[in-house]
Structures are given as C-alpha cells and as structure tokens.
Amino acid sequence: MMRTRAAEMTDAHTAAFQLPQEQERAQALASQYRIVYGRAPRFVVRAPGRVNLLGEHTDYNGLPVLPMAIDRSIMIAVGARADRTVQLSNTAPQFAPRSYELSDTIPPYAEGDWGNYSKAAAQCLARHCGLEFLHGVDCLVDGNIPSGAGLSSSSALVVASALALVAANEHTVPYETMAELLPSAERYVGTLSGGMDQAVSLLAQAGHALRVDFFPLRVRTVPLLPGYGIIVCHSLVRAEKSGAAKRGYNRRVIEGRLACRVLERALGSSLPRPLRTLGDLAVLFPHRPLLDFLPYLEAHVPERPLALSELAQIIGTSVEGLHASCDIQPNVGDHFTILRRVRHVLSEAERVNRAEEALRAGNADRFGYLMDASHVSCRDDYEISCPELEALIQAAKEAGAVGARLTGAGFGGCTVNLVPNDGVRAFLTRVDRYFYAPRLTHSERVTDYRFCFRPEAGAGVMRL
Ligand code: GLA
C-alpha cells in the first residue's frame, strides 16, 4: 500500500480551483464547515458535472464518448476523523444529515437517498485500499449541478466523495485508477452505468473536450470549435438516475449484453473469442467498419422487441442460461429490443470517430450534422427521447443551432446545442419565447434551465 502526502495530489490538480468563483465558493464552504463541525476543514474537493457532446450509451458497450466537464460541480469540505464514521451534512436543507460506518459491505439507505452516493464511493475505496487503511471523515457537501438534468450530478457526488476519503486519509490513488474503479461503485445505487461520467469528471482539461475509450480506459483531449458556443437546455422533465429512468437505462445495458450473445451465434467460428461488449468487435476486427456487423444480426433477429424465451431459442440456450450469461436483474423487463439498439450503438461509435475528426479540422457544419444524426438515432433506434425533448430540439433548430441533440441518459434531462457565438443571443431569445415562456411559471427563472458552458478542468483537491 502506497501512502504519500496528499499535497502531491493537490499540486497536480490545482486547475480544478482556478476559476475565481470556485475559489470563493470553496472559502465560503470552509467557513460554513466551521459552523457545522466546530473546527476547520483540511481540504475542499471539487468534482465537476459534464455534458456529453456525442457518443450516447456507447460507454458501457465498450465504445467511445466525447464529453466535456462543466463549471458546475459538487464541492465537499472535508476533515479527517480518528474513527471509521462518515458524517455528511449538505448546504441544501432538503438533504438531511447522514452518518454511517465505513466497511467493505455498507448497508444502503432507502432507494434515492442522497447518502447512498457517498456510501457507494466509501465501500469501493474500503475494498480497494483495505478497510484497515481508511479512517472516517466529516463532510460538508455543496452542489450546484442541476439534478435529474443528465449533467451527471450523482456521479460528481460519487467522485467528490471518493476524493474526500482519499485526501483525508493521505492516500495516493491515481485519478486514472479512480476513473476505472468508480463506475462499478455506482452499482451500489443499482445503476449499471458506464464509465464516461467519472472519467470526464476526474480527467478533463480546461478548454477541451475529452475523447474517452473504455476497457482499458484511455483519454485524449480534443479541441473545441473556435467561434462556437455550447448551450445546454433543460427539457423540464427530470430524469433521476435513482428513479424511473434507471429501469429504462438498465434495460438498455442488458440489451447490449444480449446482442453480444446473438452476434456470437451469428458470427460463429469467425469470432476468435466471446464478446465482453459490442466494442470487442472493434478490438477483434480493427479494420472492419462496425456497421458491417449489422447484417449478421438482421439475419437472426427482427426489429420488434423479443421475449427472453424467443431470444434463448435464437441463441440456442435456455432462459436460465441467458440470465446467467447476461447478469439480468429482476424488474428489468421481459421484452428486449436488439437490432435497433445495436444499430444505434454501432453507428454512434462511428459518429464519435467522425466528430473527433470534425473538431480537429474545425468543421462546425460537419460536427453539427453528426449531432443531429445522433439525436435521430437516440430517438428512433435507442428510444430514449420524449415529447418535451423533441419540442426543445425543434425550437433549437429553428433558433439557429448548427447541431442539437439530447445529452446524457435521456428519458428527459437536457439537450446540448452548438451555436455560433454571434448567434447565441438570438438563439436564447427564441428558445425562451417558444419553449420556456409557455411552460415556466412566473416565479421560475429561465436562467435556471439553460446554460452556456465552457469546457472546464476535471476534479481536484485544495488543501486549506
Ligand atoms: C448516464 C451514464 C453514463 C452513460 C450515459 C449515456 O449518464 O451514467 O455512463 O451511459 O448515461 O451515454
């Protein structure tokens, strides 16, 4: 077990606190901490939310994504404890204080409880670092990422909670290692999520998007388009990761696994080994376009949803066999759509490759075209849009967006829009008039629902 001073880590990630408003927020949080806990905190950690520019629902399928970190974040002021208790307070009164004991099997709070995101990180680190090397912490949490918006507030809370424990215990866990570990920590809250949110929250660089590849995790920065703004608009439909959207999300994860079983059957002996994810197709056949594999599926499965028994028959196994090989959770549903989901995933991965090229070439029209195509694919083949998102996309296109698409898990949440800088004012005026004005009450502020984001730095730790 390596133990070094946390100061090394703080030096490496000071960019996280470069924005003046983030420094001010950190100092204000530290003052509030003194009132709550009666002593000064030792660190403030910060983990940003993210907006995904392209590559939706590709991460858990082992295919790339193209997100950027935003200037909204979870901050935690942290003090070390000598025992194994974790105390949580939150600056937002709707999140009541919580307290639990560290262990490598921490019993969860009720579903949807905010404390579960801290527990998810704590249990993961207790297993990784060894419980004997982990002491508890007193935390004061402050978040300004809109929740249920698809901007990754929950993953940012998991990342910040992990950083808080690592910093207070003076451990060194490389950010890359944390980005590999923490997606599985989120299984704790029952989401089978991929690794995009944690990777970008930890590893983003200011001024850039981040291309992330998975299994193994690899990242590289990608420049954004000079002269264009990224505007994120909330559809006003909340899509909580802990709520109904979770079932729709988890079902799509299972559909990806089932698709691997069908492809193994369809490709037969031309496949050198079983597929862990659809992304293995790119690993095993690096010179073949991914969409080449669609006809193999088309020959075996129809477009319509299939019962598990039908799928078992197609694959040549039993329903029990599929439960075991695809780790199918109860409540995830009994009908699965395979062909359309795979068409989305494979075409989306190709779009990420083309989008990275377009960004590097500074080709805004091409990038916008790919964003639009991604949205159509998310809507029609992945079926994660909703009427409000559609109305918002239409308003955005009419307001001059070069590209507009839903972002994040879908089922509500936000859209991301590419808008030329000199068209931003007109864009906002039109979207406000045609989308928000008829839907918001007089007491609601439109500025709480649409944001101009610049790409910001990933997570960091500030020693006080
Ligand atoms: C959620 C998950 C991510 C990713 C997106 C969809 O945000 O947490 O891992 O799967 O949905 O692209």
Side-chain angles (χ1 to χ4, degrees):
M1 159 94 348
M2 275 228 306
R3 304 197 78 190
T4 57
R5 291 186 61 76
E8 286 174 24
M9 183 171 68
T10 59
D11 291 345
H13 295 282
T14 44
F17 288 92
Q18 259 167 19
L19 292 177
Q21 68 270 29
E22 292 293 72
Q23 278 182 17
E24 277 167 31
R25 198 174 137 214
Q27 295 301 342
L29 191 61
S31 308
Q32 214 175 330
Y33 187 98
R34 285 184 201 99
I35 297 166
V36 174
Y37 291 107
R39 62 187 174 115
R42 284 186 52 210
F43 301 96
V44 176
V45 302
R46 172 189 173 277
R50 60 100 188 94
V51 56
N52 190 17
L53 301 175
L54 212 100
E56 225 58 85
H57 290 265
T58 41
D59 57 355
Y60 54 80
N61 284 304
L63 288 161
V65 293
L66 197 58
M68 66 181 219
I70 59 176
D71 65 354
R72 299 294 189 105
S73 63
I74 300 286
M75 269 190 195
I76 307 182
V78 197
R81 293 177 62 101
D83 58 12
R84 296 234 152 75
T85 302
V86 173
Q87 290 213 78
L88 302 173
S89 297
N90 199 305
T91 55
Q94 69 268 33
F95 300 115
R98 295 280 179 257
S99 171
Y100 64 89
E101 294 299 305
L102 287 172
S103 121
D104 43 23
T105 43
I106 304 173
Y109 296 118
E111 185 169 353
D113 192 294
W114 75 285
N116 281 337
Y117 295 100
S118 165
K119 286 184 169 183
Q123 179 174 288
C124 174
L125 284 174
R127 291 177 183 182
H128 179 75
C129 301
L131 186 57
E132 65 276 31
F133 296 106
L134 221 51
H135 285 116
V137 279
D138 288 337
C139 295
L140 178 61
V141 179
D142 179 65
N144 64 8
I145 309 169
S147 74
L151 299 176
S152 218
S153 56
S154 45
S155 295
L157 180 52
V158 173
V159 169
S161 301
L163 281 175
L165 274 167
V166 167
N169 281 278
E170 307 227 336
H171 287 313
T172 301
V173 183
Y175 277 24
E176 290 74 9
T177 307
M178 269 201 260
E180 297 254 31
L181 283 176
L182 291 178
S184 60
E186 289 202 28
R187 306 272 148 88
Y188 187 89
V189 289
T191 313
L192 304 173
S193 71
M196 163 169 67
D197 309 345
Q198 301 79 3
V200 67
S201 185
L202 283 158
L203 302 170
Q205 281 185 31
H208 293 83
L210 197 70
R211 175 183 166 124
V212 188
D213 288 88
F214 300 93
F215 316 131
L217 187 82
R218 284 145 293 151
V219 299
R220 61 177 179 248
T221 54
V222 182
L224 277 175
L225 294 157
Y228 286 81
I230 300 294
I231 303 182
V232 169
C233 299
H234 200 306
S235 67
L236 308 178
V237 177
R238 289 170 62 79
E240 299 284 1
K241 232 190 206 175
S242 57
K246 182 165 86 178
R247 241 189 343 273
Y249 183 93
N250 285 352
R251 176 150 57 215
R252 280 155 184 77
V253 177
I254 301 298
E255 285 167 338
R257 294 179 188 164
L258 288 166
C260 290
R261 304 291 84 79
V262 180
L263 274 167
E264 284 161 4
R265 177 75 177 189
L267 291 167
S269 58
S270 61
L271 207 55
R273 62 163 170 79
L275 297 171
R276 289 165 308 179
T277 61
L278 288 170
D280 270 355
L281 291 171
V283 176
L284 297 172
F285 305 97
H287 303 299
R288 281 182 76 172
L290 281 170
L291 284 167
D292 269 14
F293 294 96
L294 213 51
Y296 291 96
L297 269 187
E298 282 163 352
H300 283 77
V301 286
E303 295 251 343
R304 67 178 166 84
L306 296 162
L308 214 48
S309 54
E310 289 177 275
L311 276 164
Q313 208 170 22
I314 290 167
I315 295 164
T317 181
S318 60
V319 169
E320 296 71 35
L322 281 185
H323 266 274
S325 68
C326 297
D327 194 10
I328 297 176
Q329 325 268 312
N331 302 332
V332 82
D334 48 9
H335 278 70
F336 299 91
T337 304
I338 303 299
L339 188 55
R340 294 162 73 184
R341 304 294 187 255
V342 175
R343 193 188 295 137
H344 166 74
V345 170
L346 300 186
S347 64
E348 186 77 347
E350 293 287 357
R351 278 188 288 274
V352 171
N353 291 332
R354 301 290 87 78
E356 184 184 354
E357 287 164 12
L359 286 181
R360 292 192 189 283
N363 189 337
D365 287 341
R366 177 89 180 126
F367 189 70
Y369 164 82
L370 291 162
M371 290 175 79
D372 291 346
S374 166
H375 182 75
V376 169
S377 179
C378 284
R379 181 191 66 203
D380 296 346
D381 280 335
Y382 226 59
E383 296 180 285
I384 52 171
S385 189
C386 63
E388 293 81 357
L389 279 169
E390 289 311 308
L392 188 49
I393 293 283
Q394 195 189 336
K397 291 302 288 184
E398 287 167 8
V402 179
R405 55 181 294 277
L406 67 82
T407 184
F411 310 103
C414 287
T415 63
V416 57
N417 306 279
L418 182 71
V419 180
N421 283 344
D422 59 10
V424 167
R425 188 186 289 259
F427 174 89
L428 294 176
T429 306
R430 279 193 74 105
V431 169
D432 289 355
R433 182 180 313 152
Y434 293 110
F435 186 79
Y436 290 111
R439 291 172 174 84
L440 291 182
T441 60
H442 283 304
S443 59
E444 289 178 300
R445 289 177 312 182
V446 72
T447 45
D448 288 337
Y449 295 104
R450 41 75 169 163
F451 319 91
C452 300
F453 285 137
R454 279 201 317 267
E456 297 298 347
V461 179
M462 186 163 95
R463 180 185 277 274
L464 297 171

